[in-house]
Amino acid sequence: MRIVIAEDNTLLREGMVLLLTSNDHEVVATCAAGPEILPALRDHRPDVAVLDVRLPPSFRDEGLRAAVAAREEFPDLPILVLSQYVEQAYAAELLAGGARGIGYLLKDRVGRVEQFLEALERITSGGTALDPEVVTEILSQKAAERPLQGLTPREYEVLGMMAQGLANGAIAERLVITERAVSKHIRGVFDKLGLPPEGGSVHRRVLAVLAFLGGGSAPTVSGP
């Protein structure tokens, strides 16, 4: 795949370039500051963009704002956002604009080669890839609130793993249950969130993840 990278840390940026090119991907452009991102995307039209959240000149949210702007201009562009810390608000803001082809990972995942490459493959296929620590933080916050849409604890757990981007088989393995049981729990999640049957399973999973993050794309349904 053809990739644009935006990362101001030279060592990390060049490390990602080496990692990706050694795995038969092409890095078509690299950026070291927020204002460079959109021009690079327009010039190269990559298959996916990997963007740091905090970039020069202010080191606040330049990468995030560029990601949001990029999704507005290129709605089908898969974007993988990297962050040094768990910043839930950034993940929610990015996903609120549409979660298909979106990933949010902590930077230390880049060193875990298989996970990083798997996340890229997942988002280019239209899925999501949320860092487990981000999901854990969201779970902790929502546990202090009312249960999400009346889900059972197991359904809630399955939804959290869906937010990470795990497929049914991987969820079954993590929970030591059958894939059939996972499918049953996912159907329960879809039903309780009031998600429409049309649109395909990937689309429904994305809508469920948006509801999980508070993105507001799924209709509100009162719990029992």
Side-chain angles (χ1 to χ4, degrees):
M1 67 183 76
R2 302 172 68 255
I3 304 167
V4 166
I5 296 174
E7 169 59 59
D8 65 295
N9 184 304
T10 303
L11 184 61
L12 180 57
R13 184 175 65 246
E14 295 307 314
M16 283 193 287
V17 171
L18 179 61
L19 168 63
L20 292 168
T21 54
S22 64
N23 281 275
D24 300 322
H25 300 303
E26 180 184 4
V27 177
V28 295
T30 60
C31 308
E36 301 174 11
I37 295 174
L38 284 178
L41 296 178
R42 293 180 185 124
D43 289 344
H44 297 280
R45 301 298 178 100
D47 299 314
V48 61
V50 180
L51 312 178
D52 185 10
V53 165
R54 298 186 178 187
L55 292 167
S58 71
F59 292 97
R60 292 183 180 175
D61 59 356
E62 282 82 1
L64 173 71
R65 287 190 280 109
V68 173
R71 291 286 285 197
E72 291 176 356
E73 188 167 342
F74 311 107
D76 297 325
L77 174 65
I79 296 177
L80 178 60
V81 173
L82 302 179
S83 179
Q84 190 69 43
Y85 310 103
V86 177
E87 298 175 283
Q88 179 188 335
Y90 286 158
E93 182 174 348
L94 180 61
L95 285 160
R100 288 179 62 85
I102 288 292
Y104 185 103
L105 297 181
L106 296 185
K107 285 187 175 181
D108 64 3
R109 303 290 174 193
V110 176
R112 304 175 189 183
V113 176
E114 291 185 1
Q115 291 184 28
F116 179 60
L117 295 176
E118 181 186 358
L120 282 176
E121 294 289 348
R122 192 181 299 155
I123 66 172
T124 54
S125 299
T128 59
L130 293 185
D131 195 285
E133 291 188 35
V134 175
V135 173
T136 297
E137 180 134 328
I138 296 170
L139 280 168
S140 298
Q141 177 177 326
K142 290 188 177 294
E145 304 168 358
R146 65 183 180 85
L148 180 66
Q149 313 294 1
L151 301 182
T152 67
R154 178 63 89 184
E155 289 169 345
Y156 201 71
E157 190 173 20
V158 168
L159 178 54
M161 292 185 181
M162 288 167 58
Q164 292 179 39
L166 298 181
N168 289 13
I171 294 174
E173 185 176 345
R174 291 272 187 96
L175 297 179
V176 196
I177 58 178
T178 64
E179 286 194 46
R180 183 176 180 181
V182 172
S183 296
K184 178 181 178 180
H185 292 310
I186 291 175
R187 285 196 301 272
V189 170
F190 290 162
D191 290 343
K192 291 179 181 179
L193 294 182
L195 299 180
E198 66 276 2
S201 60
V202 173
H203 183 56
R204 296 180 85 197
R205 290 174 87 98
V206 169
L207 289 177
V209 170
L210 280 173
F212 173 76
L213 288 168
S217 291
T220 301
V221 180
S222 299

